[in-house]
Amino acid sequence: MKKSELINLFSSHIIKIDNYYNDETYIEVSRDMLPEIVAELMVISQGTLMSIICIDERELSESKCFKIHYAFKVPFENTKDKNPAKSSIMASDELKEILVLTIKVFEAEPEFHSITNICLAANWYEREIADMFGLKPIHHLDMKRLCHHEKFPQNIYPLRKDFAGETAIIPMENNSIASKVEGHGIYELPVGPIHAGIIEPGHFRFSCLGEHIINLDAKLFFTHRGLEKMAEGMDHFKANFIAERVCGVCSLSHSVAYSNAVEKICGTEVPKRAKYLRTILLELERISGHLTDIMGIALDVAYYSASTFASILRENILETAYEILRSRYFHSINMPGGLRRDITGDSLKKIEALAERLPGEIDRLSHLLLSSTSFLERVETTGYLFTNTALELGIVGVGARASKIKCDARKAFGYEAYNECEFNEITGQAGDVYSRMMVRLGELQESAKIIKQLLSKLPQGKISEPIGTIPPFKPAFGITEAPKGEHSHFVVFDNNAKIYRLKIRSASFANWLALTFAVKGNIVPDFPVINKSFNLCYSACDR
């Protein structure tokens, strides 16, 4: 369907349309008609929810309103006509645009219609808005607190503009009632939030019958850092440091997503050499992340030889990163406008040598994993996630692709130099731990292929362009496909070129609910390996 045809369907409910960019369209609609429009959008255009962003704009107008943006990824037939510069390598049906439905919610009536009954993926977004902005989603399916736990005081909303970040929070009495599964022979098994290892805090409450899991209630957000509040008032350069520190495994991916949003707002054309180098480094980060996960999967089923081999390969990646960047986790190389410094000479040769030997080493790792019957018995048919469930939850990354869903942002949006590379989107069929592992192994091979292609035609030239004038209140999204899945950063600046709102949607925020579905019917000892197979991050939620 063409975008114009889709807009015509909603024409009677449209208040305003802003076409800021070729691939982003903002449509303000009636608050009361939002559920009906979302239902039509999802059915007619096969749109999938990417993020929901709330902005406190009460100080900007006499109407004292909040705005809520519902961002959907939508495939449009006319994409190929609008982006002729994109390579023919990428099929037109893989390309997507962002369609943003916007509603206003007024301070005098702080309620909006929940869309969870027609779009389950909206669950956590709406609950987060309730916690952080004090706006109530009417008829939400599960209105337990999300970011704020039981002792967090009522009527304190940290992302409102009139809340000062340094405000002391005084805990209140815990008066919550925990939900639980009841029945003959059913018991609860609480795990965490303090764990035996060095992982971050998360509380998991299993409802079990024998060793079989009937239900899992996961509670996160124990160490929420307030990064989005911290970013308010920062300039575009300083806020990049915030983006880099959302997650250690995806540092560069977050930074590039943020930078892409800033560059789109300002119309900055990043030099081609910088795009190539960004893409190469992003793939090195992907390799490191995938090896970490494979290492964890093997470790959680006590397959130490395979885990150790994966660990050695990962250490080689991190050592190479340190030698060329002086950072093992890809910090302080990227910035809005390009790169801070060039990568040349011996550094490029080290990357090339790594990409040359990686396919053979991944083959050896695959042989180790697939030649062990006892290992395969632990991962095959374990943690199954149905395709329909994955679609309804709106999950991204390896977890979605292992359940037959094509959702690779490198293909869908063709950012940086990905539209000049030939590579396959790896998908699985089984939707279990084994399938998620095999998707990672396939992507490792594709990453080596991408790096070799880009190194063979790396252009000369500048590595950055100045950002220039930043237009106020012109929003934009930056999107990257990280090791953990698709990250999106939404950015809007104020009249002083300072961050007015930064919304970070990590892949883990979109994927945590999938874990609670995938574990059902499995036994408790399989929970660690199922958890590891989704590559979920605590800190990316505690942003």
Side-chain angles (χ1 to χ4, degrees):
M1 172 174 284
K2 292 184 178 181
K3 184 189 296 184
S4 58
E5 294 172 351
L6 185 64
I7 292 174
N8 286 337
L9 289 175
F10 309 143
S11 59
S12 60
H13 308 306
I14 291 176
I15 299 171
K16 181 183 178 184
I17 299 178
D18 289 310
N19 288 298
Y20 294 120
Y21 320 100
N22 284 339
D23 58 353
E24 283 185 38
T25 302
Y26 292 74
I27 305 176
E28 185 180 339
V29 299
S30 165
R31 181 186 66 168
D32 294 335
M33 295 304 300
L34 178 72
E36 180 180 326
I37 295 173
V38 169
E40 289 188 36
L41 176 65
M42 293 181 66
V43 171
I44 296 172
S45 70
Q46 298 180 329
T48 55
L49 183 68
M50 182 178 72
S51 186
I52 302 179
I53 304 99
C54 186
I55 309 176
D56 182 358
E57 295 190 358
R58 291 175 297 162
E59 63 186 15
L60 300 179
S61 65
E62 295 181 0
S63 59
K64 293 188 177 297
C65 73
F66 299 83
K67 278 186 181 177
I68 303 179
H69 297 300
Y70 298 77
F72 289 85
K73 293 176 290 185
V74 181
F76 285 120
E77 289 181 1
N78 63 338
T79 303
K80 58 186 178 183
D81 299 324
K82 292 176 57 200
N83 296 288
K86 293 207 178 285
S87 170
S88 60
I89 291 171
M90 301 180 63
S92 61
D93 61 355
E94 292 172 332
L95 295 168
K96 289 183 172 64
E97 299 181 19
I98 302 170
L99 184 65
V100 184
L101 301 177
T102 303
I103 63 170
K104 289 182 178 179
V105 180
F106 297 95
E107 184 177 34
E109 191 180 356
E111 296 178 339
F112 62 100
H113 294 284
S114 172
I115 61 170
T116 51
N117 60 333
I118 53 178
C119 180
L120 190 57
N123 184 343
W124 272 26
Y125 299 101
E126 292 181 347
R127 289 166 63 190
E128 184 181 46
I129 288 172
D131 283 355
M132 293 297 190
F133 290 90
L135 307 181
K136 182 181 178 181
I138 305 170
H139 305 308
H140 191 284
L141 301 177
D142 178 17
M143 268 311 296
K144 294 196 301 288
R145 286 182 161 195
L146 182 71
C147 307
H148 298 164
H149 292 178
E150 295 82 358
K151 294 187 178 182
F152 196 92
Q154 301 284 349
N155 303 320
I156 291 183
Y157 308 114
L159 285 181
R160 289 191 174 192
K161 292 298 182 182
D162 51 11
F163 177 84
E166 64 274 12
T167 302
I169 304 297
I170 301 174
M172 70 176 191
E173 183 180 351
N174 183 354
N175 57 5
S176 65
I177 300 175
S179 59
K180 60 189 298 185
V181 177
E182 297 180 340
H184 181 70
I186 296 176
Y187 67 96
E188 282 194 330
L189 176 64
V191 178
I194 306 302
H195 300 275
I198 59 171
I199 64 173
E200 297 161 271
H203 179 62
F204 304 100
R205 187 169 291 272
F206 299 88
S207 296
C208 304
L209 182 62
E211 280 203 328
H212 287 85
I213 301 169
I214 297 174
N215 189 59
L216 169 62
D217 186 19
K219 181 190 290 185
L220 308 175
F221 304 96
F222 281 89
T223 55
H224 204 285
R225 294 168 287 167
L227 297 183
E228 293 177 1
K229 187 71 176 180
M230 195 184 304
E232 292 180 4
M234 287 186 175
D235 62 36
H236 73 276
F237 184 78
K238 191 173 182 180
N240 182 52
F241 291 95
I242 297 289
E244 280 188 329
R245 283 153 181 82
V246 175
C247 168
V249 176
C250 305
S251 170
L252 183 64
S253 300
H254 278 292
S255 177
V256 172
Y258 166 77
S259 297
N260 283 175
V262 174
E263 290 153 6
K264 188 184 291 187
I265 290 171
C266 302
T268 303
E269 183 60 37
V270 176
K272 197 168 184 178
R273 182 176 178 86
K275 288 185 176 183
Y276 272 56
L277 291 173
R278 273 182 177 176
T279 307
I280 291 168
L281 294 175
L282 285 168
E283 290 307 302
L284 286 176
E285 184 178 67
R286 174 181 307 280
I287 293 168
S288 171
H290 282 351
L291 287 172
T292 302
D293 300 327
I294 294 171
M295 175 181 72
I297 290 171
L299 183 63
D300 282 340
V301 297
Y303 191 9
Y304 297 117
S305 57
S307 176
T308 301
F309 186 76
S311 178
I312 292 170
L313 297 184
R314 174 180 178 268
E315 183 61 25
N316 290 338
I317 300 296
L318 297 181
E319 285 181 355
T320 301
Y322 183 77
E323 288 173 5
I324 62 177
L325 304 176
R326 287 298 177 259
S327 169
R328 287 167 59 87
Y329 294 98
F330 300 89
H331 285 163
S332 302
I333 179 66
N334 184 67
M335 66 178 184
L339 299 178
R340 296 189 188 187
R341 56 187 179 278
D342 203 351
I343 300 175
T344 58
D346 290 342
S347 294
L348 292 177
K349 290 179 182 178
K350 289 175 182 177
I351 297 174
E352 185 176 14
L354 185 65
E356 286 292 340
R357 68 174 183 267
L358 184 66
E361 292 173 333
I362 297 305
D363 285 341
R364 290 177 60 194
L365 176 60
S366 299
H367 178 73
L368 265 177
L369 295 167
L370 302 181
S371 62
S372 170
T373 303
S374 60
F375 173 75
L376 293 176
E377 285 177 347
R378 291 295 307 276
V379 297
E380 289 181 331
T381 72
T382 301
Y384 186 80
L385 184 68
F386 290 98
T387 302
N388 286 341
T389 303
L391 285 170
E392 290 182 13
L393 293 174
I395 78 166
V396 296
V398 169
R401 291 193 285 279
S403 293
K404 307 179 186 178
I405 300 170
K406 288 193 172 184
C407 61
D408 194 327
R410 296 174 298 175
K411 290 280 190 180
F413 295 99
Y415 59 95
E416 300 305 332
Y418 285 113
N419 57 356
E420 299 186 34
C421 299
E422 185 174 1
F423 64 99
N424 298 314
E425 180 170 359
I426 307 297
T427 57
Q429 297 297 315
D432 55 5
V433 173
Y434 171 82
S435 186
R436 290 187 279 274
M437 180 188 72
M438 294 306 295
V439 169
R440 288 190 175 91
L441 289 170
E443 289 194 359
L444 286 170
Q445 298 285 12
E446 295 300 311
S447 291
K449 183 193 301 184
I450 291 170
I451 291 172
K452 287 191 284 187
Q453 287 181 68
L454 294 179
L455 285 174
S456 69
K457 54 183 180 181
L458 181 65
Q460 298 298 318
K462 296 190 296 184
I463 57 165
S464 66
E465 284 288 346
I467 287 299
T469 303
I470 300 177
F473 301 104
K474 182 182 177 184
F477 284 92
I479 300 167
T480 54
E481 183 70 30
K484 295 179 180 296
E486 178 192 280
H487 295 329
S488 71
H489 283 232
F490 172 90
V491 183
V492 62
F493 292 91
D494 62 17
N495 287 315
N496 299 313
K498 305 295 184 182
I499 296 284
Y500 192 77
R501 178 76 167 102
L502 170 63
K503 165 67 175 179
I504 303 165
R505 201 296 320 267
S506 68
S508 294
F509 188 91
N511 286 355
W512 264 105
L513 275 177
L515 177 66
T516 66
F517 284 82
V519 299
K520 292 181 180 180
N522 292 267
I523 60 175
V524 174
D526 281 336
F527 171 71
V529 70
I530 298 171
N531 186 6
K532 182 60 67 176
S533 72
F534 279 99
N535 189 11
L536 299 170
C537 179
Y538 297 84
S539 68
C541 292
D542 285 342
R543 66 202 188 287

